[in-house]
């Protein structure tokens, strides 16, 4: 788990360094500045393990059910959305006096800022995601081996019962 906290720390440091450059007056891409601002807010208020687990779940979902994402851009957009949701910075609430209720809504980012943020977080979590995918592959191989062993044992038991 310390590796996840290290990833979060490095993400935060990167975002803070880019924002500091911007605040010192350096000309920068505004979408990168927005992405770094979002990273800083999420890492400040979110749990590093929950964030990493959410990103990993998105990648496993894409591997196991690729039809859920129409394109890579759609996958990145949903990954960014899930990255931002737990911290609360992606949600807004408006009071409707006509119905006397509050209505929740999602606060979107521009497409280019979403792409920037997606590239940054995917690059940051890539080593951990590769490790996770390898572990998932080993788990699936083990499950298949156990299934084969059980099937072979039941077949042997049926043959003995038939004799």
């Amino acid at each position: 788990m310390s590796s996840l906290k290290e990833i979060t720390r490095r993400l935060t440091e990167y975002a803070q360094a880019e924002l500091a450059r911007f605040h010192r007056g350096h000309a920068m891409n505004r979408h990168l500045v927005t992405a770094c601002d979002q990273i800083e807010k999420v890492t400040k208020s979110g749990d590093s393990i929950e964030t990493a687990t959410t990103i990993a779940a998105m990648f496993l979902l894409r591997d196991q059910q690729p039809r859920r994402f129409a394109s890579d851009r759609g996958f990145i957009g949903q990954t960014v959305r899930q990255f931002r949701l737990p911290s609360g910075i992606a949600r807004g609430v408006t009071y409707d006096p006509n119905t006397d209720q509050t209505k929740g809504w999602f606060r979107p980012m521009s497409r280019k800022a979403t792409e920037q943020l997606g590239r940054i977080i995917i690059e940051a979590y890539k080593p951990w995601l590769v490790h996770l995918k390898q572990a998932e592959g080993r788990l699936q191989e083990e499950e298949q081996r156990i299934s084969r062993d059980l099937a072979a044992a039941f077949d042997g038991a049926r043959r003995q019962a038939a004799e």
Side-chain angles (χ1 to χ4, degrees):
M1 296 305 159
S2 63
S3 63
L4 298 179
K5 290 182 181 183
E6 178 67 18
I7 291 170
T8 302
R9 185 186 63 75
R10 288 183 181 185
L11 255 178
T12 304
E13 287 175 357
Y14 170 76
Q16 288 172 344
E18 292 296 317
L19 290 171
R21 282 183 55 216
F22 174 72
H23 291 301
R24 284 193 305 266
H26 288 269
M28 295 182 68
N29 180 319
R30 67 184 167 121
H31 304 295
L32 175 62
V33 172
T34 301
C36 288
D37 181 55
Q38 295 294 305
I39 289 170
E40 187 176 38
K41 288 177 182 176
V42 168
T43 57
K44 190 182 296 181
S45 62
D47 177 33
S48 61
I49 295 171
E50 181 182 357
T51 301
T53 304
T54 301
I55 292 170
M58 293 296 293
F59 274 85
L60 289 174
L61 182 63
R62 184 180 71 171
D63 286 348
Q64 294 174 2
Q65 299 177 5
R67 69 184 182 341
R68 290 189 176 266
F69 305 102
S71 65
D72 285 343
R73 187 179 278 173
F75 171 72
I76 289 172
Q78 287 303 315
T79 302
V80 168
R81 185 179 187 141
Q82 294 303 317
F83 176 76
R84 294 173 62 220
L85 275 174
S87 66
I89 62 171
R91 293 177 283 208
V93 177
T94 304
Y95 174 74
D96 185 359
N98 297 331
T99 61
D100 195 33
Q101 294 180 339
T102 58
K103 292 185 179 182
W105 44 273
F106 183 76
R107 186 175 297 141
M109 290 174 41
S110 72
R111 189 186 92 242
K112 289 183 180 181
T114 299
E115 289 173 359
Q116 286 275 348
L117 180 54
R119 278 196 294 268
I120 293 168
I121 61 176
I122 288 169
E123 191 62 34
Y125 284 97
K126 191 183 291 184
W128 188 70
L129 292 168
V130 167
H131 172 71
L132 184 73
K133 190 169 180 169
Q134 290 170 346
E136 179 72 15
R138 286 191 301 268
L139 182 63
Q140 286 177 348
E141 287 172 6
E142 181 67 15
E143 288 173 354
Q144 289 171 356
R145 186 191 61 76
I146 290 171
S147 281
R148 283 192 309 270
D149 291 350
L150 283 173
F154 283 124
D155 286 343
R158 270 193 229 126
R159 283 189 206 125
Q160 286 180 350
E163 294 174 355

